Amino acid sequence: MSALLRARLSAFLAGVAVAGVFGVYQLRGDVAEGQEKLLQQTKQYASGLEQRVADLEAAVARLQKS
């Protein structure tokens, strides 16, 4: 292997490594952001569901009294 080819290959591999590190960092941030959004949506749906259950229980209680 010539010295020039070895230098080019090592520079290419260093570039791939740097790009990989930046890609993993970006992916990690995207996953964390997505997880936060899903958590917020789940909390909103759960609170809405709890309110609906409470309303239905109140309606059933009113019907049982009549």
Side-chain angles (χ1 to χ4, degrees), residues 26-46:
Q26 182 67 36
L27 181 64
R28 184 173 178 246
D30 290 346
V31 168
E33 183 181 336
Q35 179 185 8
E36 184 64 33
K37 286 182 181 181
L38 284 174
L39 184 61
Q40 288 174 357
Q41 287 179 352
T42 303
K43 286 180 180 178
Q44 287 175 352
Y45 293 146

Side-chain angles (χ1 to χ4, degrees), residues 9-25:
L9 183 61
S10 63
F12 172 76
L13 292 176
V16 168
V18 170
V21 168
F22 285 130
V24 167
Y25 179 76

